Amino acid sequence: MNTLIQRLVDLADQQAVSPVLVAEKGLHLQIPFYLAIGEQLAEKTERQVHFEFMTGLSVLERWGQAWMLKRLQRSLAASTNWDVTVERTAVVSRPAGNQRPFVLGFATSVQSLPSWATAVRLSAHASPQADFRLAIEAA
């Protein structure tokens, strides 16, 4: 996770682009992942973290995303001392520098990104398209 966090901070603060995590099709990120990444980004950057979930999905996927975001907001409020906010948006925000909230976008692989954003691809399998391979633990 440390390598991923450092890459996200470098993109936002050094390269002045908004990082957007793009999970491969079939990879569903769970609430503990969002809690961990939010906490570690807030700790590393010492500022508010703002998660932006890009919409533009099918009606069923939007409904599922809305349900997951409500769960995520409740979990963040209950289990973190860090200032992490969650929002649905059509377009991820532009990077605002290291004095403003740290913006981290989330998108599906089919969504196009604006010129000020860059995809950080997550995969469960070794792949030349993936920037980061996530180790999936057995439940």
Side-chain angles (χ1 to χ4, degrees):
M1 182 76 88
N2 290 335
T3 305
L4 175 59
I5 297 297
Q6 187 59 53
R7 174 75 172 136
L8 297 174
V9 171
D10 288 347
L11 285 168
D13 293 346
Q14 307 300 321
Q15 297 180 30
V17 295
S18 296
V20 178
L21 293 182
V22 179
E24 75 176 1
K25 188 174 177 91
L27 179 64
H28 300 286
L29 303 176
Q30 301 296 312
I31 298 293
F33 174 83
Y34 296 109
L35 295 175
I37 203 166
E39 180 179 333
Q40 289 186 29
L41 280 171
E43 189 174 284
K44 175 107 177 137
T45 63
E46 297 181 345
R47 60 191 200 238
Q48 180 186 32
V49 175
H50 188 66
F51 289 163
E52 293 187 352
F53 289 81
M54 294 179 64
T55 58
L57 308 170
S58 72
V59 173
L60 184 59
E61 289 170 321
R62 281 196 306 258
W63 182 83
Q65 184 187 58
W67 179 78
M68 188 278 296
L69 292 181
K70 285 181 184 181
R71 286 186 52 224
L72 177 57
Q73 287 173 324
R74 283 193 303 269
S75 296
L76 284 168
S79 67
T80 185
N81 295 325
W82 305 103
D83 191 4
V84 181
T85 60
V86 177
E87 177 184 13
R88 286 173 65 179
T89 183
V91 179
V92 69
S93 298
R94 290 180 181 267
N98 58 11
Q99 300 303 312
R100 301 251 175 101
F102 185 95
V103 173
L104 177 59
F106 294 90
T108 63
S109 59
V110 297
Q111 292 170 292
S112 61
L113 300 178
S115 61
W116 60 84
T118 191
V120 177
R121 299 184 194 292
L122 303 177
S123 175
H125 312 288
S127 162
Q129 290 96 0
D131 294 331
F132 291 91
R133 181 178 177 273
L134 300 177
I136 307 301
E137 295 182 10

Short mmCIF file of all heavy atoms in Angstrom, two decimals, residues 62-85:
data_model
loop_
_atom_site.label_atom_id
_atom_site.label_comp_id
_atom_site.label_asym_id
_atom_site.label_seq_id
_atom_site.Cartn_x
_atom_site.Cartn_y
_atom_site.Cartn_z
N ARG A 62 -25.16 2.63 -11.11
CA ARG A 62 -25.27 3.87 -10.32
C ARG A 62 -25.98 3.61 -9.00
O ARG A 62 -25.60 4.15 -7.97
CB ARG A 62 -26.01 4.95 -11.12
CG ARG A 62 -25.13 5.63 -12.14
CD ARG A 62 -25.76 6.92 -12.63
NE ARG A 62 -27.10 6.75 -13.14
CZ ARG A 62 -27.43 6.69 -14.42
NH1 ARG A 62 -26.51 6.82 -15.34
NH2 ARG A 62 -28.69 6.54 -14.78
N TRP A 63 -27.03 2.78 -9.03
CA TRP A 63 -27.75 2.45 -7.80
C TRP A 63 -26.82 1.72 -6.84
O TRP A 63 -26.77 2.03 -5.65
CB TRP A 63 -28.97 1.60 -8.12
CG TRP A 63 -29.76 1.27 -6.90
CD1 TRP A 63 -30.69 2.04 -6.29
CD2 TRP A 63 -29.65 0.08 -6.12
NE1 TRP A 63 -31.18 1.41 -5.18
CE2 TRP A 63 -30.56 0.19 -5.05
CE3 TRP A 63 -28.88 -1.08 -6.22
CZ2 TRP A 63 -30.70 -0.79 -4.09
CZ3 TRP A 63 -29.03 -2.06 -5.26
CH2 TRP A 63 -29.93 -1.92 -4.22
N GLY A 64 -26.05 0.76 -7.36
CA GLY A 64 -25.09 0.02 -6.52
C GLY A 64 -24.01 0.93 -5.97
O GLY A 64 -23.61 0.81 -4.82
N GLN A 65 -23.56 1.87 -6.80
CA GLN A 65 -22.54 2.82 -6.34
C GLN A 65 -23.10 3.72 -5.24
O GLN A 65 -22.43 3.98 -4.24
CB GLN A 65 -22.04 3.67 -7.52
CG GLN A 65 -20.92 4.62 -7.15
CD GLN A 65 -20.56 5.56 -8.28
OE1 GLN A 65 -21.40 6.30 -8.77
NE2 GLN A 65 -19.31 5.50 -8.71
N ALA A 66 -24.33 4.20 -5.40
CA ALA A 66 -24.95 5.06 -4.39
C ALA A 66 -25.06 4.33 -3.05
O ALA A 66 -24.77 4.89 -1.99
CB ALA A 66 -26.31 5.54 -4.86
N TRP A 67 -25.45 3.07 -3.09
CA TRP A 67 -25.57 2.26 -1.88
C TRP A 67 -24.20 2.10 -1.22
O TRP A 67 -24.05 2.26 -0.02
CB TRP A 67 -26.19 0.91 -2.24
CG TRP A 67 -26.34 -0.01 -1.07
CD1 TRP A 67 -27.30 0.04 -0.10
CD2 TRP A 67 -25.49 -1.12 -0.75
NE1 TRP A 67 -27.10 -0.97 0.80
CE2 TRP A 67 -25.99 -1.70 0.43
CE3 TRP A 67 -24.36 -1.67 -1.34
CZ2 TRP A 67 -25.39 -2.80 1.03
CZ3 TRP A 67 -23.78 -2.77 -0.75
CH2 TRP A 67 -24.29 -3.31 0.41
N MET A 68 -23.17 1.79 -2.02
CA MET A 68 -21.83 1.61 -1.49
C MET A 68 -21.30 2.92 -0.90
O MET A 68 -20.66 2.92 0.16
CB MET A 68 -20.89 1.10 -2.60
CG MET A 68 -19.51 0.69 -2.11
SD MET A 68 -18.28 2.00 -1.87
CE MET A 68 -18.06 2.63 -3.50
N LEU A 69 -21.57 4.05 -1.54
CA LEU A 69 -21.07 5.34 -1.04
C LEU A 69 -21.72 5.70 0.30
O LEU A 69 -21.05 6.26 1.17
CB LEU A 69 -21.30 6.44 -2.06
CG LEU A 69 -20.47 6.33 -3.34
CD1 LEU A 69 -20.77 7.49 -4.28
CD2 LEU A 69 -19.00 6.25 -3.04
N LYS A 70 -22.99 5.38 0.48
CA LYS A 70 -23.63 5.62 1.78
C LYS A 70 -22.97 4.77 2.86
O LYS A 70 -22.71 5.25 3.97
CB LYS A 70 -25.12 5.32 1.70
CG LYS A 70 -25.89 6.39 0.96
CD LYS A 70 -27.37 6.08 0.93
CE LYS A 70 -28.07 7.14 0.09
NZ LYS A 70 -29.50 6.95 0.01
N ARG A 71 -22.70 3.52 2.54
CA ARG A 71 -21.99 2.66 3.50
C ARG A 71 -20.60 3.20 3.80
O ARG A 71 -20.16 3.22 4.96
CB ARG A 71 -21.86 1.23 2.96
CG ARG A 71 -23.15 0.44 3.00
CD ARG A 71 -22.95 -1.01 2.59
NE ARG A 71 -21.89 -1.64 3.34
CZ ARG A 71 -20.96 -2.44 2.80
NH1 ARG A 71 -20.95 -2.71 1.53
NH2 ARG A 71 -20.03 -2.98 3.55
N LEU A 72 -19.90 3.66 2.77
CA LEU A 72 -18.56 4.20 2.94
C LEU A 72 -18.59 5.46 3.82
O LEU A 72 -17.78 5.61 4.72
CB LEU A 72 -17.93 4.51 1.58
CG LEU A 72 -16.55 5.17 1.61
CD1 LEU A 72 -15.55 4.33 2.39
CD2 LEU A 72 -16.06 5.41 0.18
N GLN A 73 -19.53 6.35 3.58
CA GLN A 73 -19.64 7.57 4.39
C GLN A 73 -19.89 7.23 5.86
O GLN A 73 -19.28 7.82 6.75
CB GLN A 73 -20.74 8.47 3.85
CG GLN A 73 -20.34 9.16 2.56
CD GLN A 73 -21.48 9.93 1.91
OE1 GLN A 73 -22.63 9.52 1.95
NE2 GLN A 73 -21.13 11.05 1.31
N ARG A 74 -20.77 6.28 6.11
CA ARG A 74 -21.03 5.86 7.50
C ARG A 74 -19.78 5.25 8.12
O ARG A 74 -19.44 5.53 9.28
CB ARG A 74 -22.19 4.88 7.56
CG ARG A 74 -23.55 5.52 7.41
CD ARG A 74 -24.67 4.57 7.80
NE ARG A 74 -24.67 3.33 7.04
CZ ARG A 74 -25.33 3.14 5.90
NH1 ARG A 74 -26.06 4.10 5.39
NH2 ARG A 74 -25.29 1.98 5.29
N SER A 75 -19.07 4.42 7.37
CA SER A 75 -17.86 3.78 7.88
C SER A 75 -16.77 4.80 8.16
O SER A 75 -16.07 4.70 9.17
CB SER A 75 -17.35 2.73 6.90
OG SER A 75 -18.28 1.69 6.74
N LEU A 76 -16.61 5.76 7.27
CA LEU A 76 -15.60 6.81 7.48
C LEU A 76 -15.93 7.62 8.72
O LEU A 76 -15.04 7.93 9.52
CB LEU A 76 -15.52 7.72 6.26
CG LEU A 76 -14.80 7.17 5.05
CD1 LEU A 76 -15.05 8.04 3.81
CD2 LEU A 76 -13.30 7.06 5.32
N ALA A 77 -17.18 7.96 8.90
CA ALA A 77 -17.59 8.76 10.06
C ALA A 77 -17.37 7.99 11.37
O ALA A 77 -17.01 8.58 12.38
CB ALA A 77 -19.05 9.17 9.93
N ALA A 78 -17.56 6.68 11.32
CA ALA A 78 -17.48 5.87 12.54
C ALA A 78 -16.06 5.42 12.88
O ALA A 78 -15.76 5.19 14.05
CB ALA A 78 -18.37 4.64 12.39
N SER A 79 -15.19 5.27 11.90
CA SER A 79 -13.93 4.58 12.19
C SER A 79 -12.66 5.35 11.88
O SER A 79 -11.59 4.78 11.92
CB SER A 79 -13.90 3.26 11.43
OG SER A 79 -13.84 3.51 10.04
N THR A 80 -12.73 6.62 11.58
CA THR A 80 -11.49 7.31 11.26
C THR A 80 -11.42 8.65 11.98
O THR A 80 -12.42 9.30 12.22
CB THR A 80 -11.34 7.50 9.74
OG1 THR A 80 -10.07 8.08 9.48
CG2 THR A 80 -12.41 8.39 9.15
N ASN A 81 -10.21 9.01 12.31
CA ASN A 81 -9.95 10.33 12.90
C ASN A 81 -9.53 11.32 11.83
O ASN A 81 -9.24 12.46 12.13
CB ASN A 81 -8.85 10.22 13.96
CG ASN A 81 -9.28 9.36 15.13
OD1 ASN A 81 -10.45 9.37 15.51
ND2 ASN A 81 -8.35 8.62 15.69
N TRP A 82 -9.44 10.85 10.61
CA TRP A 82 -8.97 11.68 9.51
C TRP A 82 -10.15 12.32 8.79
O TRP A 82 -11.24 11.78 8.78
CB TRP A 82 -8.15 10.84 8.53
CG TRP A 82 -7.02 10.15 9.24
CD1 TRP A 82 -6.98 8.83 9.59
CD2 TRP A 82 -5.83 10.73 9.72
NE1 TRP A 82 -5.81 8.56 10.26
CE2 TRP A 82 -5.08 9.72 10.35
CE3 TRP A 82 -5.30 12.02 9.69
CZ2 TRP A 82 -3.84 9.95 10.94
CZ3 TRP A 82 -4.07 12.24 10.27
CH2 TRP A 82 -3.35 11.22 10.88
N ASP A 83 -9.89 13.43 8.16
CA ASP A 83 -10.92 14.17 7.44
C ASP A 83 -10.98 13.65 6.00
O ASP A 83 -10.20 14.08 5.14
CB ASP A 83 -10.60 15.66 7.48
CG ASP A 83 -11.75 16.51 6.99
OD1 ASP A 83 -12.83 15.96 6.69
OD2 ASP A 83 -11.57 17.74 6.91
N VAL A 84 -11.87 12.71 5.75
CA VAL A 84 -12.04 12.11 4.43
C VAL A 84 -13.50 12.30 4.02
O VAL A 84 -14.40 11.92 4.75
CB VAL A 84 -11.67 10.61 4.43
CG1 VAL A 84 -11.83 10.02 3.04
CG2 VAL A 84 -10.26 10.39 4.94
N THR A 85 -13.71 12.92 2.85
CA THR A 85 -15.06 13.14 2.35
C THR A 85 -15.29 12.33 1.09
O THR A 85 -14.33 11.93 0.42
CB THR A 85 -15.33 14.63 2.07
OG1 THR A 85 -14.40 15.08 1.09
CG2 THR A 85 -15.19 15.46 3.33
#
